């Protein structure tokens, strides 16, 4: 493996997964998730063994050079660009269901991997340049709407999903004994349900897909009883 590439072995199978596929013709953005933590400190970069350090509470701005700590399943090379889902620190650790007020400060971030600061077998500090920032609350205004019929069908393959509502947001989450799972974030705008983010995760990947997909009312209603 090149010294300019950062990748980590799976803790279970001890293999390094392939680089993620970051294109999908059905959505505008394919992003990685749960593979990096955004720092928010002014002092020197902490040692990789330091667990407690300041995480970012708000998204970066376009043009920023930011320090991030990356870990499995991150797999990228210096010079590559990629999208990632940024969640402020509290929801990053505990989920939007615990901190729904942070949904409006969550964003898809396009980054360029600039250089490696330090690394070991499990973690690395790297610098990334922020090229684009798309707040989740702005997706409906920035991406043209398309038909999203059928996009929630996969939830029927799991047991009854979890659902919570916060203001104009609806969040669905389902998993199979914590081995693999999916989630969907829907923004209610007037009489329409806009699927703006769809997550899919398993042992070796954690991906998020961004679009502006209109979910038919009857398809969403099949889940709405869960929150009652």
């Amino acid at each position: 493996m090149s010294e300019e590439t950062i990748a980590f072995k799976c803790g279970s199978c001890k293999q390094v997964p392939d680089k993620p596929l970051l294109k999908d013709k059905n959505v505008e953005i394919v992003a990685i998730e749960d593979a990096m933590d955004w720092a928010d400190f002014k002092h020197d970069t902490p040692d990789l063994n330091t667990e407690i350090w300041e995480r970012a509470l708000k998204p970066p701005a376009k043009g920023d050079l930011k320090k991030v700590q990356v870990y499995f399943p991150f797999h990228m090379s210096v010079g590559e660009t990629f999208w990632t889902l940024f969640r402020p620190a509290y929801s990053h650790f505990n989920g939007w269901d615990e901190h729904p007020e942070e949904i409006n400060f969550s964003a898809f971030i396009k980054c360029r991997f600039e250089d490696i600061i330090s690394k070991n077998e499990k973690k690395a500090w790297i610098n990334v340049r922020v090229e684009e920032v798309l707040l989740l609350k702005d997706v409906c205004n920035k991406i043209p709407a398309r038909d999203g019929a059928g996009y929630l069908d996969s939830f029927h393959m799991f047991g009854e999903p979890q659902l919570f509502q916060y203001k104009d947001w609806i969040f669905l989450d389902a998993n199979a004994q914590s081995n693999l799972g999916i989630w969907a974030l829907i923004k209610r705008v007037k009489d329409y349900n806009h699927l703006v983010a769809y997550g899919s995760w398993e042992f070796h990947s954690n991906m998020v897909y961004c679009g502006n997909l209109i979910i038919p009312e009857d398809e969403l209603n099949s889940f709405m009883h869960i929150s009652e």
Side-chain angles (χ1 to χ4, degrees):
M1 184 184 300
S2 167
E3 291 185 359
E4 295 294 287
T5 296
I6 294 289
F8 305 96
K9 292 181 180 179
C10 170
S12 299
C13 71
K14 309 304 180 185
Q15 300 298 310
V16 175
D18 294 334
K19 285 187 178 182
L21 297 175
L22 298 180
K23 289 186 178 180
D24 188 311
K25 64 180 181 180
N26 297 312
V27 294
E28 279 70 19
I29 294 171
V30 180
I32 61 173
E33 187 191 18
D34 287 342
M36 56 195 290
D37 292 353
W38 293 79
D40 188 25
F41 48 73
K42 304 296 188 290
H43 52 73
D44 292 339
T45 306
D47 182 89
L48 284 166
N49 294 319
T50 301
E51 296 292 337
I52 300 175
W53 45 271
E54 300 93 332
R55 268 76 170 180
L57 291 172
K58 59 182 181 179
K62 182 178 179 179
D64 283 353
L65 182 66
K66 288 292 187 179
K67 293 181 175 68
V68 297
Q69 187 176 96
V70 297
Y71 41 86
F72 181 85
F74 186 87
H75 188 170
M76 295 287 167
S77 300
V78 171
E80 287 187 309
T81 58
F82 61 93
W83 287 89
T84 185
L85 177 63
F86 168 87
R87 302 192 201 206
Y90 296 118
S91 55
H92 173 72
F93 285 114
N94 302 309
W96 283 323
D97 52 338
E98 294 289 332
H99 297 279
E101 72 283 355
E102 291 191 344
I103 295 176
N104 284 331
F105 299 97
S106 300
F108 285 98
I109 311 292
K110 186 179 182 182
C111 307
R112 184 182 189 276
F113 185 175
E114 292 291 335
D115 56 62
I116 301 167
I117 301 170
S118 60
K119 64 179 180 178
N120 60 26
E121 291 183 353
K122 293 185 177 181
K123 301 176 185 176
W125 281 108
I126 68 172
N127 282 314
V128 298
R129 179 73 66 182
V130 177
E131 295 190 347
E132 293 184 47
V133 177
L134 176 59
L135 291 167
L136 296 187
K137 65 180 182 179
D138 294 336
V139 169
C140 296
N141 298 324
K142 298 292 182 66
I143 296 177
R146 293 190 287 114
D147 178 32
Y151 270 81
L152 299 184
D153 287 353
S154 296
F155 282 90
H156 295 292
M157 296 189 299
F158 295 86
E160 188 165 83
Q162 294 182 318
L163 180 148
F164 83 83
Q165 298 182 70
Y166 174 76
K167 296 184 177 179
D168 52 359
W169 293 104
I170 300 169
F171 182 74
L172 280 169
D173 185 33
N175 67 80
Q177 298 180 341
S178 298
N179 292 321
L180 69 153
I182 55 177
W183 58 263
L185 183 66
I186 297 165
K187 185 176 179 64
R188 183 80 172 172
V189 181
K190 296 181 180 178
D191 294 327
Y192 294 95
N193 307 302
H194 299 254
L195 175 61
V196 301
Y198 182 96
S200 176
W201 57 270
E202 44 92 0
F203 286 116
H204 287 167
S205 71
N206 205 321
M207 308 301 295
V208 187
Y209 305 88
C210 173
N212 183 7
L213 302 165
I214 304 299
I215 303 299
E217 191 74 15
D218 60 333
E219 293 185 13
L220 181 59
N221 282 344
S222 65
F223 301 103
M224 294 305 292
H225 69 281
I226 299 169
S227 63
E228 295 176 354

